[in-house]
């Protein structure tokens, strides 16, 4: 479709009026002598266009005959996008054929066909598919998620998420989050805490979940003074940070705000565990890392996996939310690169500082535990 449309648009610059003729049942005959040699379609053949405001007629000589209405009906574009065709394209087997313009309109019958089409497509067993994400949305949220249907949802939904984060950043500036922590010292910071906020800690998250007392986007900055934080804890947050654009800023900020001798405890999904289990035959090793039942159903994500590679993609990508997968070697490289003198592998419930052992037990089987000292 795209090459045809581009050739049509290009040919408009060299458009020539077709000559009305009573001999032609459509009322038009192309004047071939008036078509310039440099007016070509995408296959290199000459193309002529009669333009009157919007294009009325399109003439494309070709060996292949395709009626545009039948094409749009077959592919479903007229149904999904309420396409209005301002011209009908005909590729004729012998010479040039001109068809009058037709319009495609969305009707109740096409909407019914839409529903039948969607029901006929069997979705995959992986969550979150679009229907599952939409099922619990109401009002404005539902409207936003279904807007702009011509944009692929796998591209549109990350955009919506970033817009929501941008509003959160604006709210943080208005409320003066940085001013609140100016001059404060010996802070205990829990980055990306979600629903696991702790009393006495600065519990940071992008959204105001229960227990969150600091709504802030900390991917590129932290709202604290230099050397004002005793320790930083982050569990299953770092994989949501873009490796090239945001990781350097985040780790540099952690190093800046930590006191000398301060500890950063970082917990992420352990890619090495998953990959080793994937390489073993059968599902037993993988089920030990990511708990599954006998039918390969994952209660944590709500997925039924048909292949082991499906499981890996769900864990490493998590729809669009996960940006990078880590092993100890990669984390050690990053932490040393951005200023941390000591980097060590840790375990669930074991730390240089007992106060930092606030790990969630349900994540122990598939997590990598790393501590770094400034």
């Amino acid at each position: 479709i795209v090459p045809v449309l581009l050739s049509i648009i290009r040919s408009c610059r060299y458009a020539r009026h077709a000559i009305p003729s009573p001999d032609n049942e459509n009322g038009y005959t192309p004047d071939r002598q008036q078509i310039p040699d440099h007016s070509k379609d995408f296959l290199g053949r000459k193309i002529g266009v009669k333009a009157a405001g919007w294009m009325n007629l399109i003439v494309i000589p070709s060996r292949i005959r395709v009626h545009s209405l039948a094409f749009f009906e077959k592919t479903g574009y007229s149904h999904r996008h309420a396409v209005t065709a301002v011209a009908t394209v005909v590729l004729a087997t012998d010479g040039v054929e001109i068809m009058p313009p037709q319009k495609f309109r969305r009707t109740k019958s096409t909407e019914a066909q839409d529903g039948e089409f969607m029901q006929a497509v069997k979705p995959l067993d992986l969550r979150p598919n679009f229907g599952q994400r939409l099922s619990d949305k109401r009002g404005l949220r539902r409207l936003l998620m279904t807007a702009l249907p011509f944009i692929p949802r796998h591209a549109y939904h990350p955009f919506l998420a970033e817009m929501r984060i941008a509003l959160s950043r604006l709210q943080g500036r208005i409320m003066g989050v940085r001013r609140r922590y100016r001059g404060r010292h010996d802070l205990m910071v829990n980055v990306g805490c979600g629903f696991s906020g702790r009393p006495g800690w600065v519990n940071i998250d992008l959204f105001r979940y229960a227990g969150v007392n600091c709504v802030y986007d900390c991917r590129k900055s932290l709202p604290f003074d230099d050397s004002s934080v005793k320790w930083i804890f982050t569990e299953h947050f770092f994989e949501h940070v873009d490796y090239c654009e945001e990781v350097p800023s985040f780790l540099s900020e952690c190093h800046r705000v930590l006191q000398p001798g301060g500890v950063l405890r970082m917990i992420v999904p352990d890619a090495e565990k998953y990959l080793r289990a994937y390489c073993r035959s059968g599902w037993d090793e993988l089920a030990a890392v990511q708990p599954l039942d006998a039918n390969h159903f994952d209660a944590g994500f709500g997925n039924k996996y048909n292949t082991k590679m499906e499981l890996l993609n769900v864990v490493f990508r998590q729809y669009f939310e996960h940006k990078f997968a880590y092993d100890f070697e990669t984390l050690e490289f990053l932490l040393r690169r951005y200023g941390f003198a000591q980097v060590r592998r840790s375990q669930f419930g074991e730390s240089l500082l007992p106060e930092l052992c606030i790990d969630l037990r349900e994540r122990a089987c598939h997590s990598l535990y790393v501590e770094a000292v400034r």
Side-chain angles (χ1 to χ4, degrees), residues 191-192 204 206 216-223 237 249-250 253:
V191 176
I204 305 178
L206 284 168
Y216 194 81
D217 181 5
C218 54
R219 293 176 296 180
K220 287 191 174 181
S221 68
L222 292 172
F237 159 79
S249 299
F250 175 73
E253 281 290 283

Side-chain angles (χ1 to χ4, degrees), residues 42-208:
F42 73 103
L43 294 176
R45 289 180 282 269
K46 291 183 179 180
I47 177 170
V49 176
K50 172 180 167 56
W54 289 99
M55 291 179 294
N56 289 333
L57 302 172
I58 303 172
V59 184
I60 305 180
S62 175
R63 297 290 181 185
I64 305 170
R65 175 187 176 91
V66 178
H67 196 293
S68 63
L69 175 60
F71 173 77
F72 277 105
E73 291 289 337
K74 183 178 179 181
T75 56
Y77 278 93
S78 60
H79 296 168
R80 296 196 186 93
H81 305 304
V83 172
T84 298
V86 296
T88 298
V89 180
V90 175
L91 307 183
T93 57
D94 50 354
V96 180
E97 180 178 355
I98 305 176
M99 298 293 290
Q102 299 186 34
K103 292 184 178 180
F104 304 152
R105 294 182 180 177
R106 189 178 182 86
T107 63
K108 290 183 179 180
S109 61
T110 59
E111 289 177 354
Q113 292 178 27
D114 263 350
E116 293 174 2
F117 176 80
M118 294 305 293
Q119 291 175 6
V121 177
K122 184 178 180 181
L124 292 170
D125 301 318
L126 300 184
R127 290 180 61 93
N129 64 49
F130 180 71
Q132 292 165 331
R133 291 178 65 88
L134 192 63
S135 61
D136 61 341
K137 302 297 188 297
R138 298 291 182 272
L140 180 60
R141 287 189 177 183
R142 188 180 185 91
L143 177 63
L144 287 173
M145 289 187 69
T146 54
L148 306 179
F150 49 87
I151 300 178
R153 287 159 181 153
H154 63 79
Y156 179 57
H157 288 175
F159 170 76
L160 284 182
E162 286 299 324
M163 291 300 295
R164 186 182 178 192
I165 292 170
L167 291 175
S168 177
R169 284 200 300 268
L170 179 61
Q171 180 186 12
R173 290 184 180 181
I174 294 172
M175 298 181 66
V177 174
R178 286 183 172 274
R179 291 194 301 271
R180 189 194 315 168
Y181 296 103
R182 191 172 298 161
R184 296 181 59 179
H185 295 278
D186 296 332
L187 298 171
M188 302 176 294
V189 177
N190 185 357
V191 176
C193 64
F195 295 98
S196 303
R198 298 279 176 163
W201 290 64
V202 179
N203 300 297
I204 305 178
D205 205 280
L206 284 168
F207 310 111
R208 194 172 292 281

